[in-house]
Amino acid sequence: MSDKTDLSLLWDFGDPVTSESRFRGALDTPEAQADPAFRVEVLTQIARALGLQSKLEEARSVLDEASELLPPESSASAWVEIERGRVENSSGNPQEARQCFLEAWAGARRRGQEALAIDAAHMIAIVSDEAESLAWNQKALELASESADPKARRWTASLLNNIGWTHHSVGRFSEALVAFERALEARLAQGQAEPTRIAKWCVARCLRSLGRVEEALARLRDIEGQADDGFVDEEIGECLWTLGRREESRAHFTQAFDKLSKVPGLAQNEPERLQSLRDRAG
């Protein structure tokens, strides 16, 4: 159905509970009742929302229901595979996840579902080693750049960001900066404030890694106060600390600790990061 509801408009990735409720409501629409393939797509998004709530077994059950409803040779099959892959990845099964993502990539490419194919490719990159990750993100970026589909083209900034962090993780800071600056250009063209702010933060973070700390600090001052998430405070503190402005940095480390200690999962996954903030806050 070329005019079917755009399910992406129902998403609020910061609130998967509300998103799940919206998708369950979409199951009751005449469109979902009349079109089995569309109903399957809705079910896959319910599963994704459940996965983001760590309700992995419930997500699997919903995907099993979606699989049973799949019409033969359905265009919705790639949706099922990619969401099953996300559930497996969240469950600590990267090899099983990878196989699902590969099947989603192949199916989406075969049916001309370019945005979905890009999503699958970027997920393959997530479960791959550094070299293969770069290759898959580059493949996805080429597809996004060449596509006439606006949904596919919107992936450009995210893919460049992923490429930047892959380079950064292994110390290729100059290559990372090129990718981050291209991602920022793409975000500015899209005109969305929050993604643009994050892209500016990424550029600043990479400038610090390159030793261009004064430049990094100036970039951070440009976005200081635009959000209350703690990450900008943390990075300003890091820059000031590196520049030897230790007393000035303490207030930023204090604010960063107060905010980041409330981020779900951060205390469990990066306790040393929070401890470092606390120590330098004094």
Side-chain angles (χ1 to χ4, degrees):
M1 296 176 62
S2 60
D3 57 347
K4 68 184 178 183
T5 301
D6 184 352
L7 295 179
S8 67
L9 299 178
L10 302 182
W11 264 111
D12 178 351
F13 286 101
D15 187 354
V17 175
T18 297
S19 298
E20 178 194 348
S21 178
R22 291 172 182 164
F23 289 121
R24 290 194 183 279
L27 286 177
D28 296 327
T29 62
E31 186 175 9
Q33 299 293 330
D35 182 354
F38 180 70
R39 187 173 185 83
V40 167
E41 290 182 25
V42 176
L43 286 169
T44 65
Q45 299 311 285
I46 292 173
R48 186 174 187 182
L50 288 167
L52 290 173
Q53 299 170 62
S54 298
K55 298 179 179 178
L56 300 177
E57 288 307 316
E58 194 173 345
R60 282 194 180 92
S61 178
V62 171
L63 289 170
D64 289 343
E65 179 185 352
S67 295
E68 291 174 4
L69 290 174
L70 269 176
E73 294 301 313
S74 171
S75 61
S77 61
W79 288 83
V80 175
E81 290 301 328
I82 196 168
E83 297 310 333
R84 198 177 292 282
R86 277 196 251 266
V87 169
E88 291 303 323
N89 191 44
S90 297
S91 300
N93 303 317
Q95 292 308 311
E96 291 87 340
R98 178 184 173 79
Q99 187 57 42
C100 292
F101 296 141
L102 286 169
E103 291 181 20
W105 161 262
R109 289 288 281 154
R110 189 165 58 249
R111 298 182 181 93
Q113 298 167 294
E114 292 177 332
L116 192 57
I118 292 168
D119 192 356
H122 115 277
M123 291 305 302
I124 297 169
I126 287 174
V127 297
S128 299
D129 61 26
E130 174 219 333
E132 197 168 11
S133 175
L134 281 173
W136 276 100
N137 273 319
Q138 189 62 44
K139 188 180 297 188
L141 181 61
E142 290 170 4
L143 180 56
S145 300
E146 296 167 359
S147 177
D149 180 359
K151 289 182 185 178
R153 295 185 69 84
R154 277 200 296 270
W155 272 96
T156 300
S158 294
L159 294 166
L160 286 166
N161 178 73
N162 293 350
I163 290 169
W165 283 117
T166 300
H167 283 306
H168 191 276
S169 68
V170 293
R172 291 195 296 265
F173 301 133
S174 295
E175 293 92 331
L177 183 61
V178 171
F180 287 139
E181 288 180 330
R182 289 180 62 196
L184 175 55
E185 290 176 7
R187 291 300 190 195
L188 287 168
Q190 291 171 353
Q192 295 177 297
E194 179 60 8
T196 299
R197 184 188 71 85
I198 294 171
K200 289 179 177 180
W201 181 94
C202 292
V203 170
R205 175 65 187 86
C206 192
L207 285 170
R208 179 166 70 87
S209 294
L210 283 164
R212 295 160 60 178
V213 184
E214 292 283 7
E215 287 181 67
L217 185 58
R219 298 281 190 123
L220 292 163
R221 294 298 192 191
D222 183 53
I223 58 175
E224 186 177 9
Q226 292 182 8
D228 195 33
D229 60 11
F231 293 102
V232 173
D233 281 311
E234 178 187 35
E235 193 57 28
I236 289 175
E238 294 287 358
C239 288
L240 292 171
W241 186 271
T242 302
L243 291 169
R245 295 156 64 177
R246 301 292 171 88
E247 287 304 314
E248 191 178 349
S249 73
R250 294 189 192 283
H252 292 282
F253 285 135
T254 298
Q255 292 180 60
F257 176 80
D258 289 344
K259 296 168 186 175
L260 295 180
S261 61
K262 299 179 178 68
V263 173
L266 193 62
Q268 178 180 355
N269 297 327
E270 298 185 68
E272 70 289 342
R273 179 177 183 177
L274 292 178
Q275 187 60 51
S276 176
L277 291 174
R278 172 180 274 178
D279 291 344
R280 289 181 290 173

